Amino acid sequence: VRTSRTLPTAAVVPAAGRGERLGPGAPKALRQVGGEPLLVHAVRGLWRSGAVDLVVVAAPPGTASDVANLLAEAVPGVEARVVEGAAARQQSVAAALAALDSDTDVVLVHDAARAFTPPDVVRRVVQAVRAGAPAVVPVVPVTDTIKQVGDDDAVQATVDRTRLRAVQTPQGFRRDVLERAHREHAAAATDDAALVEALGEKVAVVDGSDEAFKVTRPLDLVLAEALLRSRAD
Amino acid sequence: VRTSRTLPTAAVVPAAGRGERLGPGAPKALRQVGGEPLLVHAVRGLWRSGAVDLVVVAAPPGTASDVANLLAEAVPGVEARVVEGAAARQQSVAAALAALDSDTDVVLVHDAARAFTPPDVVRRVVQAVRAGAPAVVPVVPVTDTIKQVGDDDAVQATVDRTRLRAVQTPQGFRRDVLERAHREHAAAATDDAALVEALGEKVAVVDGSDEAFKVTRPLDLVLAEALLRSRAD
């Protein structure tokens, strides 16, 4: 039992996507790295942060009870709920939001594919929301040169990257702000913070981590395995 | 001896930078991965493409003869010249351009830190220049959500990433275009193609590769070691 002077913080993990760019296989969150599914690594990182009181997972359709058993076994002591998710990410987030306790006041949304996010990133996001920000995203600098291309596949411009940041998760929100954002701007957005931006609410940034990379392409699995081994050393 | 019906293609490798983000140690191009410096991996990839007739390396000051010996030993048969580089990347490129043969008509500029660029990326770039493009860059989609931040560290906008591409190397150029770009726009630019854009010349894109990532941060060394191991399997 975690006791806290504040109202609870819940982390929502939409984990029902296919992950086509990884190639054929299990739903992305259930792909194995180091002998365990990405989802297990992701939930373990959230829980080890000590900043999260409940994890709500939106699992691939038909897998909810298996996923619940998996998490209970792999992450001792975790407070987790598993709901049925959907292929569309926003639907999964909505299903998870509906499963929160009424007194939860801070909500994180975390990609299972950012399975190796260090716990200190989770803590920074929660602290920034508790300090008053309605929405918070962890970011890292953009290290590649970025160019904008046209329909003819020719370069139109080199983008000034000094003001660009690559956005990671968990993204943190005051619960009322996130729920309003999902109600009013449920249309496609690449991340939940963009829904909050559409409300006109301020989105703050905190430092992310290179290790919070998203497992998207086959090469990311190579990195993930290597990172796990380096952490075990 | 490589014979070709066309005039020679040379690859220029500015390799004199420090690489501060990797932490203290040798100049970045001389950091070891899999027991060999990044520069050796980079030159080997260029040479193995079969599309390059000469590699000109701008080495860290004071290391030119050692680097020449290293390359001759590690990349059998390579046609390489080593010149003295400088901390400023554009100065290194200029020093290497000055060492080209007069009949060279296609020039690649390649980061030593993109040491694991697959040879087929090198070939695609050369082919596109030979097919008529004055400048060519290999690119990959941007997979992270990108936001623009203001001076107050608040998010100003989520950038539409469908038209954004992360730019890799080698970048390829008609020699006259690259030399003119360096003469007329030698000021700071994050890549050589940006100098050509400033001339108003068209820059085309070809497909890059995830494996052409730039070794910049400590985690990139973890990936580099793992990638080398997976290629050796």
Side-chain angles (χ1 to χ4, degrees):
Chain A
V1 176
R2 298 185 172 201
T3 56
S4 58
R5 293 178 304 126
T6 54
L7 291 172
T9 299
V12 158
V13 183
R18 297 283 331 159
E20 307 291 354
R21 281 175 290 186
L22 272 182
K28 184 166 166 178
L30 300 181
R31 304 285 177 110
Q32 305 250 334
V33 172
E36 292 184 308
L38 288 173
L39 178 61
V40 166
H41 295 289
V43 171
R44 186 180 286 134
L46 288 167
W47 193 246
R48 282 191 178 165
S49 74
V52 169
D53 303 291
L54 174 70
V55 179
V56 182
V57 173
T63 69
S65 67
D66 288 346
V67 166
N69 292 335
L70 176 70
L71 292 176
E73 194 171 319
V75 189
V78 70
E79 292 285 341
R81 274 171 213 162
V82 182
V83 299
E84 186 129 322
R89 185 178 183 286
Q90 295 305 334
Q91 276 180 267
S92 287
V93 173
L97 289 177
L100 296 180
D101 293 322
S102 60
D103 63 347
T104 300
D105 70 339
V106 173
V107 179
L108 308 185
V109 183
H110 189 42
D111 287 346
R114 295 193 188 271
F116 308 100
T117 301
D120 64 304
V121 174
V122 181
R123 287 191 287 269
R124 275 198 289 277
V125 170
V126 172
Q127 281 161 7
V129 180
R130 294 247 169 251
V136 176
V137 293
V139 298
V140 290
V142 172
T143 55
D144 285 327
T145 296
I146 303 290
K147 293 188 192 286
Q148 184 180 320
V149 299
D151 291 330
D152 58 350
D153 261 7
V155 171
Q156 292 177 326
T158 300
V159 179
D160 175 10
R161 69 180 173 191
T162 59
R163 288 185 174 277
L164 299 185
R165 300 290 182 276
V167 178
Q168 305 180 321
T169 71
Q171 303 190 343
F173 304 92
R174 270 191 5 229
R175 179 194 188 163
D176 61 315
V177 170
L178 180 61
E179 289 186 335
R180 187 153 53 92
H182 270 262
R183 259 196 323 271
E184 298 185 16
H185 295 279
T190 60
D191 68 342
D192 298 276
L195 304 179
V196 171
E197 290 159 47
L199 290 181
E201 290 276 1
K202 177 176 163 164
V203 177
V205 303
V206 296
D207 287 344
S209 164
D210 293 336
E211 299 188 6
F213 67 96
K214 181 164 56 172
V215 176
T216 305
R217 299 155 303 187
L219 186 64
D220 298 320
L221 291 172
V222 173
L223 175 57
E225 294 280 359
L227 177 60
L228 266 189
R229 278 195 302 271
S230 76
R231 286 183 179 177
D233 286 346
Chain B
V1 176
R2 299 185 172 202
T3 56
S4 59
R5 292 179 306 126
T6 53
L7 291 172
T9 298
V12 158
V13 184
R18 296 286 329 161
E20 307 291 355
R21 283 175 289 186
L22 274 182
K28 184 166 168 179
L30 300 181
R31 304 285 177 111
Q32 305 250 335
V33 172
E36 293 184 307
L38 288 173
L39 178 62
V40 165
H41 295 288
V43 171
R44 186 180 286 134
L46 288 166
W47 194 246
R48 283 192 179 163
S49 74
V52 168
D53 302 289
L54 173 70
V55 180
V56 182
V57 173
T63 69
S65 66
D66 287 346
V67 166
N69 292 336
L70 175 71
L71 292 176
E73 194 171 321
V75 189
V78 70
E79 291 284 339
R81 277 173 208 159
V82 182
V83 300
E84 185 128 323
R89 185 178 183 286
Q90 294 306 336
Q91 274 181 269
S92 287
V93 173
L97 288 178
L100 296 180
D101 292 323
S102 59
D103 63 347
T104 300
D105 69 338
V106 173
V107 178
L108 308 184
V109 183
H110 189 41
D111 287 346
R114 297 194 187 271
F116 308 100
T117 302
D120 65 303
V121 174
V122 180
R123 287 191 288 268
R124 277 198 289 278
V125 171
V126 172
Q127 281 161 7
V129 179
R130 294 245 170 252
V136 176
V137 294
V139 299
V140 290
V142 172
T143 55
D144 286 327
T145 296
I146 303 290
K147 294 189 192 286
Q148 184 179 319
V149 299
D151 291 330
D152 59 350
D153 261 5
V155 171
Q156 292 178 326
T158 299
V159 179
D160 174 12
R161 70 181 171 188
T162 59
R163 289 186 173 274
L164 298 185
R165 301 291 182 276
V167 178
Q168 305 179 321
T169 71
Q171 303 190 343
F173 305 91
R174 268 190 8 228
R175 180 193 187 164
D176 61 315
V177 170
L178 181 62
E179 289 187 335
R180 188 154 51 92
H182 271 263
R183 259 195 324 269
E184 298 184 15
H185 295 281
T190 60
D191 68 341
D192 297 277
L195 304 179
V196 171
E197 291 160 38
L199 289 181
E201 291 276 1
K202 177 175 162 165
V203 177
V205 303
V206 296
D207 286 344
S209 164
D210 293 338
E211 299 189 6
F213 67 96
K214 181 164 57 173
V215 176
T216 305
R217 300 154 303 189
L219 186 64
D220 299 320
L221 291 172
V222 173
L223 174 57
E225 293 280 359
L227 177 61
L228 266 189
R229 277 193 304 268
S230 76
R231 287 182 178 177
D233 286 347

